[in-house]
Amino acid sequence: MASHKLLVTPPKALLKPLSIPNQLLLGPGPSNLPPRIMAAGGLQMIGSMSKDMYQIMDEIKEGIQYVFQTRNPLTLVISGSGHCALEAALVNVLEPGDSFLVGANGIWGQRAVDIGERIGARVHPMTKDPGGHYTLQEVEEGLAQHKPVLLFLTHGESSTGVLQPLDGFGELCHRKKMYSRKTKPFSFYLDIKWLANFWGCDDQPRMYHHTIPVISLYSLRESLALIAEQGLENSWRQHREAAAYLHGRLQALGLQLFVKDPALRLPTVTTVAVPAGYDWRDIVSYVIDHFDIEIMGGLGPSTGKVLRIGLLGCNATRENVDRVTEALRAALQHCPKKKL
């Protein structure tokens, strides 16, 4: 035991019980969790490379294949946020000097441009204002002009609420490149070959790569189980119907939906144009302070232009729509409004 005097005392904040507010999270994420998923997070830890953990990982892979409707054996989980998965996809395909075509119509396209530039790729952004989307013809023209090794489009642009149509795009992008690259990916942690082996995707003995978040994977397994029990088509229907109900309630308040074409609206995240004269921060603050409901403002290029309301998973209900629209009604009545 060291005998020298400690320089840092125990933080007073950590000597108090953990306090978590009871809030309804109706932003673009995170969202509230069903009790079954929360209970899974309290289960006992097991070894990260035990046969029991491998069984859970295999069940997770099957669940992901069901949710994404794919039989691709290269199905795995990245131990990180969705942003980490985005970066993994790019660093495993792109090499310095590669041509990279990017649909930049929101923050995720902008981030893809940034990552591609860091890798040293020749990045060709197809830039559009927030709310825009890409047609098959536009992408075909970009592919013919730049001959990229990789095309990036954001299917669900959560910063703008746009659902990018993807029918026909897959036929343009069937060449894979991960296993034919000439250089190693810049990131060891995100190297898809290592990850594929660790997740049992290559029929080789599994080797240690990193220590996985065991407890989080319990929760992921249970979330996939809930979708499997509900049925994927029923889950889609739940979110579409909840979003349609939300759109109607918002329009009844006199609010304008940011994405004009209903076919291009993301069912999980709805964007509302910030009403004239209001500061979006006042509305967001009023809703959380008076109703314990979290909604968000814009992100990246949509900052200051929209409010974002998320109906995700168990939060996608008519009851929650009623609660958030009533909160917005009160906010519009009480928040300061500048005269134009």
Side-chain angles (χ1 to χ4, degrees):
M1 296 290 291
S3 60
H4 61 274
K5 185 177 181 180
L6 297 179
L7 299 177
V8 180
T9 59
K12 292 182 178 179
L14 295 182
L15 301 179
K16 301 176 182 178
L18 177 65
S19 177
I20 304 296
N22 184 19
Q23 298 174 342
L24 178 60
L25 303 180
L26 297 185
S31 62
N32 301 97
L33 296 175
R36 177 171 164 182
I37 296 178
M38 294 179 65
L43 296 176
Q44 183 57 263
M45 181 74 74
I46 61 175
S48 63
M49 296 186 67
S50 66
K51 64 178 183 179
D52 297 305
M53 192 66 233
Y54 286 159
Q55 175 63 35
I56 293 172
M57 292 166 71
D58 289 343
E59 292 172 3
I60 287 172
K61 288 196 299 181
E62 290 184 45
I64 293 173
Q65 288 173 330
Y66 170 65
V67 168
F68 285 90
Q69 289 294 287
T70 179
R71 294 187 176 90
N72 191 335
L74 188 61
T75 299
L76 51 83
V77 170
I78 302 292
S79 298
S81 67
H83 194 295
C84 185
L86 159 64
E87 192 147 348
L90 300 185
V91 300
N92 279 284
V93 175
L94 291 174
E95 298 181 81
D98 281 348
S99 179
F100 179 31
L101 184 63
V102 183
N105 62 334
I107 191 170
W108 304 118
Q110 290 181 345
R111 295 276 175 93
V113 168
D114 190 331
I115 295 168
E117 291 173 345
R118 291 167 186 256
I119 293 171
R122 292 179 290 114
V123 183
H124 306 286
M126 298 184 293
T127 304
K128 291 205 172 194
D129 291 335
H133 74 289
Y134 300 92
T135 65
L136 196 60
Q137 181 179 348
E138 288 173 326
V139 172
E140 285 181 319
E141 291 172 355
L143 293 174
Q145 179 181 356
H146 300 293
K147 297 179 174 56
V149 302
L150 180 65
L151 166 68
F152 178 91
L153 295 174
T154 306
H155 182 40
E157 181 48 81
S158 59
S159 69
T160 64
V162 169
L163 180 69
Q164 169 66 46
L166 293 179
D167 288 346
F169 288 93
E171 298 174 5
L172 305 176
C173 307
H174 276 313
R175 189 174 63 175
K176 298 297 183 181
K177 184 174 179 289
M178 292 181 182
Y179 288 91
S180 62
R181 58 183 298 139
K182 300 176 182 177
T183 60
K184 290 184 177 181
F186 291 125
S187 173
F188 177 86
Y189 184 70
L190 299 178
D191 189 321
I192 203 70
K193 290 184 179 180
W194 277 91
L195 294 173
N197 170 264
F198 190 47
W199 277 86
C201 301
D202 60 2
D203 297 324
Q204 299 296 318
R206 299 189 189 195
M207 298 174 60
Y208 173 80
H209 177 250
H210 69 280
T211 303
I212 54 176
V214 172
I215 299 297
S216 295
L217 292 182
Y218 292 169
S219 299
L220 176 57
R221 191 267 183 202
E222 289 301 277
S223 67
L224 293 167
L226 287 174
I227 295 177
E229 291 170 9
Q230 181 185 14
L232 193 56
E233 292 175 319
N234 291 331
S235 177
W236 293 341
R237 186 180 304 109
Q238 173 191 349
H239 287 84
R240 284 196 304 265
E241 291 177 353
Y245 183 58
L246 173 63
H247 298 165
R249 290 297 309 269
L250 292 171
Q251 290 169 325
L253 288 179
L255 296 171
Q256 300 295 317
L257 298 179
F258 187 68
V259 180
K260 303 305 179 184
D261 186 347
L264 298 176
R265 291 174 187 158
L266 189 60
T268 49
V269 179
T270 295
T271 45
V272 184
V274 176
Y278 289 94
D279 188 320
W280 68 269
R281 289 171 286 239
D282 292 337
I283 297 175
V284 169
S285 296
Y286 189 92
V287 169
I288 190 68
D289 291 342
H290 292 82
F291 292 88
D292 289 324
I293 299 175
E294 180 184 77
I295 62 173
M296 293 287 199
L299 183 65
S302 66
T303 300
K305 298 179 181 179
V306 301
L307 300 170
R308 295 185 295 157
I309 303 172
L311 298 174
L312 303 165
C314 65
N315 281 351
T317 66
R318 292 171 68 96
E319 177 188 2
N320 285 340
V321 170
D322 290 337
R323 289 180 62 182
V324 72
T325 50
E326 288 305 310
L328 284 170
R329 184 193 305 276
L332 296 175
Q333 292 172 348
H334 293 93
C335 289
K337 183 179 181 182
K338 298 177 182 178
K339 293 184 178 180
L340 299 179

